[in-house]
Amino acid sequence: MTEPTHRLIPITPDTHGVDIDLVYATDRNLTGKPIYRTAHCLLLEPAETALRRAVAIARGAGLALHLFDAYRPPRAQQMLWDFLPDPTYIADPKLGSNHSRGTAIDLTLIDANGAALDMGTGFDDMTTASAHFAAGLPPAVQRNRLLLLGIMQAAGFAHIPSEWWHYELPGSRALPLIDDGTAGAPTLM
Ligand SMILES: [Zn+2]
């Protein structure tokens, strides 16, 4: 038996070459209020390794990653669920979000000028238009989403049907939830 490591690794612009805007540390999220008091971006070790691959693949295409969220403490998941108890868009805290397992990431692509590619909806837009391959979106939007899908899948992440911005490591569900106690985890409001 090996000890579970639960090792969460800090993701920063300097160490990973990504843009980070943790929306749950701001009032620009679906609840309209900050949920994190600290804007710490963390991923479990294998997800951090995959993120580095995604950064390199994107860079080769003249693009960079812009992160909206990564590790999310279980209590923050509960706060989101209390606000929107809809399992299509928010994982039931009883089952746990893969964000709380440290293996999920919400992100988009930015170009060399730092401008976000048009994905058709904003992050956390909980509508059918957020779904991958949603009918009726302009071809340019579909292409941008496919670009993100290709980069993330090549790096080892899997998508979920309902949210274009969400990626996670395959098999995440089998991993334990990581609770707040982790050093460096976002503290909650
Ligand atoms: Zn997500």
Side-chain angles (χ1 to χ4, degrees), residues 11-13 18-29 36 38-41 65-70 106-108 110 116 123-124:
I11 311 297
T12 70
V18 294
D19 251 29
I20 300 177
D21 174 24
L22 292 192
V23 293
Y24 297 131
T26 76
D27 60 10
R28 290 175 285 108
N29 66 67
Y36 304 162
T38 51
H40 292 157
C41 186
L65 308 184
H66 177 100
L67 279 46
F68 299 119
D69 199 29
D106 298 325
L107 79 169
T108 192
I110 54 174
F123 164 67
D124 265 359

Side-chain angles (χ1 to χ4, degrees), residues 19-188:
D19 251 29
I20 300 177
D21 174 24
L22 292 192
V23 293
Y24 297 131
T26 76
D27 60 10
R28 290 175 285 108
N29 66 67
L30 71 157
T31 70
K33 297 181 299 200
I35 290 176
Y36 304 162
R37 186 180 300 146
T38 51
H40 292 157
C41 186
L42 303 165
L43 284 175
L44 197 70
E45 203 161 14
E48 186 265 352
T49 304
L51 179 72
R52 286 187 183 277
R53 283 195 293 270
V55 168
I57 294 165
R59 188 178 290 137
L63 298 167
L65 308 184
H66 177 100
L67 279 46
F68 299 119
D69 199 29
Y71 169 68
R72 183 184 304 156
R75 279 191 304 123
Q77 187 65 27
Q78 183 71 51
M79 291 163 83
L80 291 176
W81 176 259
D82 290 346
F83 186 83
L84 180 66
D86 178 350
T88 307
Y89 297 109
I90 306 282
D92 185 336
K94 287 192 193 72
L95 304 172
S97 165
N98 287 333
H99 282 285
S100 301
R101 296 179 169 93
T103 52
I105 189 163
D106 298 325
L107 79 169
T108 192
L109 292 171
I110 54 174
D111 66 19
N113 298 316
L117 272 58
D118 183 3
M119 296 294 184
T121 77
F123 164 67
D124 265 359
D125 182 282
M126 308 304 196
T127 66
T128 53
S130 295
H132 281 276
F133 328 120
L137 295 172
V141 167
Q142 303 281 15
R143 283 199 297 272
N144 289 339
R145 290 184 181 191
L146 288 169
L147 203 48
L148 180 60
L149 178 68
I151 290 167
M152 295 304 282
Q153 284 202 332
F157 288 95
H159 75 287
I160 60 169
S162 56
E163 300 175 351
W164 64 258
W165 56 82
H166 176 101
Y167 287 88
E168 59 190 39
L169 289 186
S172 291
R173 195 59 68 192
L175 299 172
L177 298 172
I178 304 171
D179 215 337
D180 297 356
T182 313
T187 55
L188 305 180

